[in-house]
Amino acid sequence: MQRYFIDPNAIEPGRITVRGDDVHHIKNVLRMTVGDHILCCDGQGKDYYTELVSITDKEILCRILSTFPSKGEPRVRVTVASSLPKGDKLEWVLQKATELGADSFLPFMSSRSVVRLDGKKSAKKRVRWQRIVKEAAEQSHRGYVPQVGNVLTWKGLLEKFPSYDQVLFAYEREGSSLVEVLQKTRSQRLLVVVGPEGGFTESEVEEAVAQGAVPVQLGPRILRAETAPLALLSCILFSFGEMGGEPL
């Protein structure tokens, strides 16, 4: 069933009013009519099963038939910090990591990042990135739309480390076994950091460790910059029993 994230202010007792781009999608793309049903989510963990009551070019009125908690949110909150890769690779990471269950995203620029964004370009990109995340969250039946943060400098990212219970730093040259690290941790708020195509410099690794990050290896194969964050996120969610089975 089609799912839409709705501004909580548009939710009233017994009814929901859909406005904005979703009106066009419901009316003109899906060609829904009065009597059809959609799922609405307030973005705060609550879902609403609704029936379309009236449809205009500007808004759609829905009657709430039932309300229930969203089931798509993991118990562990994982923020993905990804150094800006070339092309549209970051868009792929944002989409797929949202589907998997990422809590939020922190794009950043490190020494070997090829892509450089100034404030104006960063703001424009962020609007597009947030739209990609919203659509992925709707498709995967998330109960929350992950937020894409402003593009950070390396120093700015380091300053974020203390906000998390644990920081896992993907480093291909050396590091702890990911399995062993995940078996020991039950932190509920994690940050995973993945570098650019050229990897991190030695000074960046030293600075990350000095700030409390734990370097981890992702196996003997060298993963691409867009593959590593998805692999790391999947392993973490699996270890917490969020991908089926029991926690490690």
Side-chain angles (χ1 to χ4, degrees):
M1 181 174 295
Q2 192 65 38
R3 180 184 182 86
Y4 297 94
F5 282 96
I6 304 298
D7 184 342
N9 294 322
I11 302 174
E12 303 175 74
R15 70 177 191 174
I16 293 175
T17 304
V18 180
R19 299 184 178 92
D21 293 340
D22 291 336
V23 173
H24 168 74
H25 190 262
I26 294 171
K27 181 177 182 289
N28 301 317
V29 178
L30 297 183
R31 297 185 180 277
M32 287 187 167
T33 59
V34 170
D36 286 340
H37 299 94
I38 61 173
L39 279 175
C40 297
C41 180
D42 63 3
Q44 300 172 353
K46 187 178 292 185
D47 289 348
Y48 301 83
Y49 178 56
T50 71
E51 178 184 7
L52 306 189
V53 175
S54 67
I55 302 174
T56 69
D57 290 336
K58 293 185 177 181
E59 65 180 35
I60 296 174
L61 181 63
C62 305
R63 178 168 61 245
I64 298 174
L65 301 178
S66 61
T67 305
F68 45 92
S70 303
K71 299 179 180 179
E73 290 309 303
R75 293 181 298 274
V76 59
R77 298 171 61 186
V78 183
T79 295
V80 176
S82 181
S83 183
L84 296 179
K86 293 180 289 186
D88 60 358
K89 294 176 182 177
L90 182 60
E91 296 182 2
W92 167 269
V93 172
L94 295 173
Q95 182 187 66
K96 300 310 174 186
T98 297
E99 293 176 19
L100 287 168
D103 181 76
S104 57
F105 299 94
L106 294 176
F108 68 94
M109 295 178 291
S110 51
S111 295
R112 293 174 178 164
S113 298
V114 176
V115 177
R116 297 284 166 177
L117 296 179
D118 57 25
K120 186 175 181 179
K121 290 182 179 179
S122 173
K124 186 176 180 179
K125 283 280 190 180
R126 190 183 177 196
V127 172
R128 174 173 172 78
W129 293 337
Q130 194 62 57
R131 184 171 66 249
I132 290 171
V133 167
K134 177 180 180 290
E135 292 172 354
E138 289 175 339
Q139 181 274 321
S140 56
H141 282 207
R142 295 286 300 272
Y144 166 75
V145 180
Q147 295 300 302
V148 182
N150 293 318
V151 176
L152 299 170
T153 62
W154 174 245
K155 181 180 178 181
L157 179 63
L158 290 175
E159 293 173 351
K160 297 284 187 181
F161 283 16
S163 302
Y164 297 88
D165 298 334
Q166 188 170 36
V167 179
L168 301 183
F169 184 85
Y171 189 48
E172 70 278 7
R173 294 187 180 180
E174 60 183 56
S176 303
S177 162
L178 179 59
V179 173
E180 293 178 357
V181 171
L182 293 179
Q183 284 177 335
K184 295 177 182 178
T185 184
R186 279 297 173 262
S187 301
Q188 294 300 307
R189 196 157 187 264
L190 297 172
L191 173 66
V192 298
V193 182
V194 178
E197 289 88 347
F200 290 109
T201 64
E202 291 186 7
S203 63
E204 287 172 337
V205 175
E206 293 172 356
E207 290 169 347
V209 172
Q211 281 293 99
V214 178
V216 294
Q217 291 185 331
L218 300 178
R221 294 157 295 281
I222 302 299
L223 303 182
R224 289 181 178 271
E226 70 271 26
T227 306
L230 301 178
L232 187 48
L233 176 62
S234 297
C235 289
I236 293 171
L237 293 174
F238 179 81
S239 74
F240 277 82
E242 292 289 345
M243 303 288 285
E246 297 295 327
L248 295 179

